[in-house]
Every structure is written in structure tokens, then in C-alpha cells.
Amino acid sequence: KETVSIQSQDGLKLMADQFLQKEESHKWVILIHGYTGNRTNMQKVGSFYGDQGYQVVTPDMRSHGESEGTYIGMGWLDRKDVLLWTNYILEEDPEAEIVLHGISMGGATVMMTAGEEDLPGQVKAVVEDCGYTSVWDIFADELDALYHLPAFPALHMSNMAAKVRAGYDLKKASALEQVKKSQVPILFIHGSQDNFVHTDMVYELFNAAQCEKDILVVEGAGHGQAYTLAPDLYFEKVFG
């Protein structure tokens, strides 16, 4: 393990741990954590990749862990940061073949990254676990579930503030629109009992994707619980 850093396009210092194989390997994975998490949350998932011979990179997303930033990107700002992490890997290993794997906000992040025009061809697959369709959708769901409030006017006001302060539009921050543009294969994973990012979202995302794709819905799993509830099933599907 070693700790490394890069600089974002807007000048933030972004931190990550990388776990390297003792023997040469050109298989890499970038593991993206969820909302309010940090890079240590992905170490257990990383251990499965490590056992398969992958070099593992676990970043702290902006405004999380040791990475700088005032505003959480909810995946939309982070997609550009993930592209920089792929470039970092390619500088280290020009022969790298890279998987992007994210959970929750990290799942949304890797889907948003998958639709970018400048995604390097060395990114060979994306694994998204319980990501949401869009930032607007997940905020609207939470307003309803927690406070029984409609999107108007609270979310519309929040969106105006997000544009000015955080520099992005909640409506445009859409994993759903990004997966429609993806050329890289995507594996969609969700729990059947996810009451935070509702399970319906994974079917909407899967149906929207025009790329090579597969889906795994783990029965009985809540939000972010799929790999802990059914690790054999989960990683058999991932590495398959």
C-alpha cells in the first residue's frame, strides 16, 4: 500500500491509496466509495480484486476523506476526477486494462464516467452497485421519504444554489443519460430490498444502456449490502 495524490481540474488535491501486486500485472481497478464515505470503505471489495491479480486504487472523492473540496460532487463533478485517476494509472502502466467499480454515489459516479467521450479505451468494464438514476431523482426521493415534501419549491431552490456554489445542475447530473452513451460494458448490481436508492432505478438504468450489459439483483439485500450478503454470487458475477 502507498498513498498517492493528483490535482483535479479545479485545483483540488485528491488522495488515494493504491495496493500493488508483488508480481507484474496490467489489470487495474479503481474503486469508488459512497456518499460521506472514504477510501477505506472499499478495501474489502478491493481484497477480492487483489486476489484476482488486480492492482487496486481506492480514491477519496472530493470533499471526502483526505481529498480537498467544499462541495460534494454527487458523481457529476467526480466523473472528471475519475478520468484523471485513469490517466494517472496509464502514466504508471501504459498497458493497463482498467475496471471502474463504484457503490451508491460511487455507482452513480462510474456510470456518469462511462458516458464521457474522452473515456480512455483502456477502461474495459464498469461495475455499478446501487447507483441512482440522477442527482435530481435521488434528492426528490429523499425529500418525499424524509420530509414528505414535493420537489417544488425546495429542490428547485437548492438547484439554483448548486449551480452558483457547486458549479453543477442537479437535473443535468444524470447517470441515466450517461449510460445511454456508454460504449464500455456495464454490470448493474442492486439489492432487492434497497429502500434508499429504490430497486426500480436499476431496471431503468439497465434498460437505458445501449452497451454490452448484465444485471444482478441480490434478493434480500438492502442499500450497499449486496456484496456482504452474497459475496460468492456477487464476485462470481463480477469476475465472470
Side-chain angles (χ1 to χ4, degrees):
K1 170 188 166 182
E2 61 178 309
T3 300
V4 296
S5 67
I6 60 173
Q7 188 174 62
S8 71
Q9 292 178 340
D10 51 347
L12 302 177
K13 186 177 182 180
L14 305 177
M15 306 298 295
D17 288 332
Q18 63 179 15
F19 301 85
L20 302 181
Q21 297 288 333
K22 293 180 179 179
E23 298 181 1
E24 184 181 43
S25 172
H26 299 297
K27 297 191 297 184
W28 291 76
V29 62
I30 303 175
L31 297 171
I32 310 299
H33 64 75
Y35 180 76
T36 70
N38 61 62
R39 61 189 190 262
T40 63
N41 299 148
M42 300 303 291
Q43 287 182 0
K44 185 173 182 179
V45 175
S47 69
F48 285 88
Y49 277 95
D51 288 344
Q52 294 293 322
Y54 282 77
Q55 320 273 28
V56 176
V57 178
T58 58
D60 279 335
M61 294 292 91
R62 56 176 54 217
S63 297
H64 291 79
E66 293 184 303
S67 288
E68 295 178 345
T70 304
Y71 299 104
I72 294 175
M74 295 302 297
W76 192 243
L77 300 180
D78 309 286
R79 79 195 195 283
K80 297 295 187 182
D81 300 336
V82 173
L83 288 176
L84 294 176
W85 283 114
T86 65
N87 292 335
Y88 163 81
I89 289 173
L90 292 172
E91 289 176 4
E92 297 289 309
D93 178 10
E95 298 179 60
E97 295 184 312
I98 304 169
V99 175
L100 308 180
H101 186 147
I103 297 178
S104 192
M105 187 186 82
T109 300
V110 297
M111 286 189 284
M112 292 172 181
T113 307
E116 291 296 289
E117 290 183 359
D118 53 349
L119 183 72
Q122 292 90 340
V123 175
K124 300 300 182 182
V126 168
V127 180
E128 83 81 17
D129 182 345
C130 64
Y132 37 80
T133 49
S134 72
V135 178
W136 182 274
D137 289 345
I138 192 63
F139 283 178
D141 278 357
E142 290 308 298
L143 267 177
D144 182 40
L146 297 177
Y147 306 109
H148 307 293
L149 291 173
F152 183 82
L155 195 51
H156 290 77
M157 294 172 64
S158 296
N159 196 29
M160 287 190 290
K163 290 178 185 178
V164 173
R165 296 182 180 180
Y168 67 99
D169 186 324
L170 304 184
K171 289 186 176 180
K172 290 183 179 179
S174 172
L176 188 67
E177 293 304 314
Q178 290 292 93
V179 299
K180 293 178 182 178
K181 299 184 288 184
S182 176
Q183 300 298 308
V184 65
I186 304 176
L187 171 60
F188 297 88
I189 301 175
H190 222 91
S192 70
Q193 300 300 314
D194 192 333
N195 294 320
F196 183 69
V197 177
H198 295 297
T199 309
D200 289 349
M201 285 191 176
V202 74
Y203 296 110
E204 190 176 355
L205 289 159
F206 179 78
N207 291 333
Q210 302 301 306
C211 56
E212 184 179 352
K213 58 188 177 181
D214 202 354
I215 187 169
L216 172 66
V217 176
V218 176
E219 288 298 321
H223 187 65
Q225 295 178 344
Y227 76 94
T228 56
L229 188 66
D232 293 341
L233 174 64
Y234 187 101
F235 288 104
E236 180 181 354
K237 177 66 81 171
V238 167
F239 296 120

